[in-house]
Amino acid sequence: MYAGFCALMLLLFVMFALSFNLVSDLNREQWEIVFVRHESRHLADELRTQLLAVSRMLRDPGFRLLNERERDERYSDLRRQVLVAMESLKLNDLERETRPLLVDIEVHFSDYMDHVGEVLAAIQTGDEARLAGVLAMESDSLDRLLQVIVSYASHLDGELAAAIGQTERGLRIVRLFVILVFFMIVATAGSTVVLIIRKVFDSLGSIVSVMNNLALGSEESIQRLQVKSKDELGVVAIAYNRLADTLERHIRYERSYQKEIEEQNWVKTTIAEISTMYQGVQDTKTLASRLLGKLAPLIGASYGAFYMTEDPVEGGQGNDGKGNGADGSDDATACVQEKVLVRMAVYAENGQAGTKDTFRFGEGLVGQCAVERQTIELKEPAEGYSIRTSLLEATPAEVIIMPVEYEGKVLAVIEFATLTAFSPLHRLLLQEVVSNVGITIRSVLGQMRVQKLLADSQALTEELQSRSKELQQQQNELLRINEELEEQYRSAELRSLELQSIKAELEEKARLLEQNSRYRTEFLANMSHELRTPLNSMLILTKILYDNEEGRLSDKQVEYAEAIYSSAQRLLDLINDILDLSTLESGKMNVQRETVSVDALLHFAERMFKPLADQKQLEFVIEKSGDVPETIESDSQRIMQVMSNLLSNAIKFTERGRISLRVTLACRNGRNENGDLLAIAVQDTGIGIPEDKQSIIFEAFQQADGTTSRKYGGTGLGLSISRNIAELLGGTVTVESREGEGSTFTLLLPLDHADKLPAKTSYPDMEAAAGLMKPSDEDIESMHGLADATVLVIDDEVRNVYALIALLEAHRLNVLYAENAQTGMAHLLQRPEIALVLMDVVVAGRNATDIIGEIHALPERAELPIAVMIDEESPTDPAFLREAGASEVLEKPVTREQALDVIRTWLARERE
């Protein structure tokens, strides 16, 4: 019996050892399921969450506004968390079937981090175009990475389900094995082990009961075994309890994951239903009403409102992309302040009188939501918010206000209120709907514009048809008139033959008049040229006598010199007027197209004529209208010439009162705020002009009264020249005057006449080859330290040479004269003290460039300064003269100050 009992014990020991081994294997497999695969799944979800956080950070406008150090810190924290999650996943998943998927995750992860680096570089440089491109690439890379992660998680879920099934099969095998052992023990032991069998039966009964409950699918709470002993049954109970704990956690995780999938499917299905609801919508009000009616019940909202962006300037709804910038600039701020939000639809309107239909951007929470472009949430709002029904009026538990954007611009704002609270699922649905409805709003606005254009087109078509009928009637009338005109044409042909003979006679007379005019113009031009050459020298010499710097002349002689100088100056002015008139009549006066500053013209008038007005104790006023442009395209020199003539006449003919210069805009038929002419008006309080004389004052050598020239002087050429110059500029000169009260002369110039003005061309200015212009009234200081220097003058015009010699000798300079290049070379070889050469551009038929080359080729004359005088008709360009070796180029007419400044500068350099 003892042998049998020992055999029975040994059998029991072997059987229970096998049972314990099977249970241990099941426990170990379950342990791997829970703590390895579940941990890998958790790490994959953690990696996915961190990657989405990085993507949201890159698209966060606030992240771009941070400085470089703060951006690096924020990015480094997220990057470290992502890398930790990735490394943990790699360490937790070694030598598994999912290793290829993990390698694929690593490859896509590396590619995504490269795109993140490119996005950060684009944010650093501030290149918006590049940033948009790299963000799109980063989004594509993230989608591919997340797809691989989801595949990896799905594979883990499959392995987890397979492992659970294998565990359940193992449990069934264990149960069958335990039952088999039990019957074997009963059959073998018999009555000798009744007490032991009872004890074992009680324990096994508990295990079977618990396992049956588990097999029947009680998933809410798995029953636990009570550990009553430390034998094999106790170990089995402990292992089973651990298995039960693991199964409960897995079941809870599975339900949570399944609920999340169901919620996502519900959101996507709802969005699809809402998208199909948009079909056939033709206006924004219908769109807003349908959206609120569909969305409010789904999220449990008791109140909803839809506000559309409207531009008050355009008067239309929506946003066409011309406002609401996000860069914080002044222009964007001004545009935001102009826009308003108009309520398009309401869900469950409470009918309160104080409810606003419009909000400006930044006004209230609705307007502030549009400005900030962020969702605003209110938990348990204060009094003032209420939801009404037929039975009650309650305060909402939560209010949410969300902006609707399209391409970074706010198109609308949606507001919802609820009596309970919005769940996370409801918030997710709202975010998805709001992110997609912007495209629909944009599309509806486009359809509305197309419909409006179509209606306008139809109206125009109807109008054209009506016009076509009228034109047909007019055409019939014109046919009748045409028959009458043909009869008149035949009679007019006879008259035309008579007119042709008369025209031939007139053309012959016009040819003779043109020939006479040309002869007169050529005569005046030649005479003016011959007179001005000696007259310029006379002005220089009489000015030297008048200055009396050496004090040799008596007061009476100085008075005579002054009288001669004044008479010569008046004679020069008369010759200039005659020359301008002849140039205009011959058509040789050209204009120079340039950008003329209106302020510069006014500054010129004030600088030149205010001192003259002050001398006569006249008030001089300059006025400029605010709508006058800053510049016009015209000829500044010709404009100043006309202004000078008009202002000189105003000062000359005004004894007391004021002179005013006004610049405004005018149109062809008078003054107008939107004129196309620039009006420069000169008004005086002088003697005025009789009405019957106002038409003749613009004719050459004509004045209003025969006594005017004797009392005030003048030749009567100024106004004639001024009107001709104005017409050459595309304008005219008008006059308004009353005798004894004053006159107003207005120069009208076109604002859009630039294309009609010719480019700069040269024309004969009839100046003397070396004539010096009227010198300044101020005395020129003596050239200290440069006295007794020697200057060589090379010129074949004796009168100009004489004026130059007199000017230079008056300043204690030694002057040598040469009428040709050969004489000048001889002086340079014999007189080493020559410090400067002053020469004309053409001397005795030779060009200055050749003479300069010969001078610099002389011994020790390579650095000798040479000044060349040129005029507008000179054959050599100033730049070419400087390249040939000219130290200075003076454009005629040369003033005394210019000549002395050049001599002083180069002599000082030679002395140094």
Side-chain angles (χ1 to χ4, degrees), residues 659-670:
I659 306 295
S660 63
L661 175 62
R662 296 193 305 274
V663 180
T664 58
L665 291 182
C667 63
R668 300 288 176 180
N669 56 357

Side-chain angles (χ1 to χ4, degrees), residues 23-38 160 163-168 171 239-240 242-250:
V23 173
S24 298
D25 290 340
L26 290 175
N27 187 39
R28 183 171 58 257
E29 292 177 0
Q30 189 64 28
W31 183 273
E32 180 183 1
I33 293 172
V34 175
F35 291 98
V36 178
R37 298 180 186 177
H38 181 267
L160 188 62
I164 293 175
Q166 184 178 358
T167 302
E168 291 177 351
L171 288 175
Y240 176 80
R242 292 178 181 177
L243 176 61
D245 294 337
T246 303
L247 288 175
E248 283 186 354
R249 287 195 297 270
H250 177 69

Side-chain angles (χ1 to χ4, degrees), residues 53 268 542 545:
K268 292 179 180 179
T542 54
L545 293 176

Side-chain angles (χ1 to χ4, degrees), residues 8 291 342 526 655 745:
L8 179 61
L291 181 62
V342 180
N526 293 331
E655 298 296 336
F745 287 86

